[in-house]
Amino acid sequence: MKPVYKRILLKLSGEGLMGELSFGMSAEVIQSLAKQIKKVHDSGVEVCIVVGGGNIFRGAKEASKGMNRTVADQVGMLATVMNALYIQNALESIGTQTRVLSGLSIPQVCENYMYRRALRHLEKGRVIIFAGGTGNPYFTTDTGAALRASEMQCDALLKATQVNGVYDDDPRKNDKAKKYDVVSYDDVIKNSLAVMDLTAVALAKENNIPIVVFSQHGKNALEDAVCGKGEFTIIK
């Protein structure tokens, strides 16, 4: 491996953990992701992770049905903690030291997020999983990922999706959709390209953190993205 980044933040969607299931976590998918993360980490790349909770609960969706938005987002943040613990277990079962740091205070389950504590874990060679979003409602896990990537001074934010980059339309519905190899932050925001929360894109722009959008499918998908190989889009 010849990584082009020294420190990354990997953003995983909750939906991406389901595999062929309609709800919950696929052990097969998570084990595959864990092996890829371990390989990248063992190559010397410092790895931070943010995972969504959409495979269990989507706060914004439930709020649109009449549920109080603050309460809905709090439930969604708890879902991200569940996913983080599952991924932590998968990584540690294959010998990769991992710590979960939560924006919500759940000391019996995981550590509270503290900036200097997180840096210390990286210095000790541990993978960090940031759970609980920002700890506040009305912020997506995409924004939480951009925030933690900025705080940790990551070289890149890698967003694993179900498609192999950013398109001008949904390629799963429009076979004529155009894929971008490189696209600017401003164009993503101006054209409302459906890749990340626009607040997250603006935050990445402000802190000059490139966003690499790639498909999580494939045995070496993460390795290829870290090494600048394969199919992906860079937002910069």
Side-chain angles (χ1 to χ4, degrees):
M1 284 185 63
K2 295 183 179 179
V4 295
Y5 307 110
K6 174 62 178 174
R7 179 181 294 176
I8 64 167
L9 187 140
L10 172 63
K11 169 59 170 63
L12 299 171
S13 71
E15 292 91 338
L17 304 182
M18 293 191 296
E20 300 300 320
L21 303 176
S22 59
F23 177 84
M25 307 92 152
S26 163
E28 182 180 353
V29 169
I30 291 178
Q31 287 166 6
S32 174
L33 285 169
K35 290 176 182 177
Q36 292 185 58
I37 293 166
K38 174 179 172 58
K39 187 173 182 180
V40 168
H41 181 256
D42 288 349
S43 76
V45 178
E46 296 174 337
V47 179
C48 306
I49 302 170
V50 167
V51 61
N55 56 319
I56 301 171
F57 190 90
R58 294 190 66 86
K61 181 178 180 181
E62 296 303 316
S64 71
K65 298 178 182 178
M67 186 175 184
N68 178 279
R69 176 63 187 269
T70 297
V71 175
D73 281 353
Q74 288 172 337
V75 176
M77 286 187 275
L78 290 172
T80 72
V81 175
M82 295 169 66
N83 284 336
L85 293 173
Y86 203 121
I87 294 170
Q88 178 189 38
N89 182 76
L91 283 166
E92 293 194 331
S93 71
I94 56 175
T96 299
Q97 288 194 7
T98 307
R99 296 292 184 272
V100 175
L101 274 64
S102 173
L104 296 173
S105 180
I106 319 175
Q108 293 89 346
V109 174
C110 54
E111 299 177 40
N112 293 339
Y113 170 72
M114 291 175 57
Y115 167 68
R116 295 191 183 281
R117 178 181 291 168
L119 287 180
R120 185 62 174 153
H121 285 316
L122 288 177
E123 290 170 359
K124 290 186 175 181
R126 296 164 179 158
V127 169
I128 300 176
I129 306 175
F130 296 113
T134 66
N136 300 289
Y138 294 92
F139 290 94
T140 68
T141 50
D142 279 347
T143 298
L147 174 63
R148 299 300 185 224
S150 300
E151 290 178 300
M152 294 297 103
Q153 298 181 316
C154 292
D155 300 318
L157 193 169
L158 275 63
K159 181 175 171 65
T161 70
Q162 301 305 301
V163 295
N164 63 347
V166 179
Y167 288 77
D168 61 359
D169 197 7
D170 189 340
R172 294 170 295 184
K173 299 177 181 178
N174 179 4
D175 58 9
K176 295 182 179 180
K178 174 188 173 184
K179 178 179 176 291
Y180 299 95
D181 292 326
V182 180
V183 63
S184 70
Y185 303 110
D186 289 338
D187 283 344
V188 171
I189 294 170
K190 180 178 68 176
N191 298 318
S192 297
L193 298 178
V195 56
M196 291 189 84
D197 181 291
L198 298 185
T199 303
V201 178
L203 186 56
K205 175 187 175 183
E206 181 179 342
N207 292 283
N208 197 31
I209 299 173
I211 303 169
V212 181
V213 182
F214 70 104
S215 170
Q216 78 169 47
H217 303 292
K219 184 177 180 181
N220 300 312
L222 177 58
E223 176 186 343
D224 287 345
V226 169
C227 294
K229 301 188 298 182
E231 292 283 327
F232 56 83
T233 298
I234 296 182
I235 303 172
K236 62 179 183 177

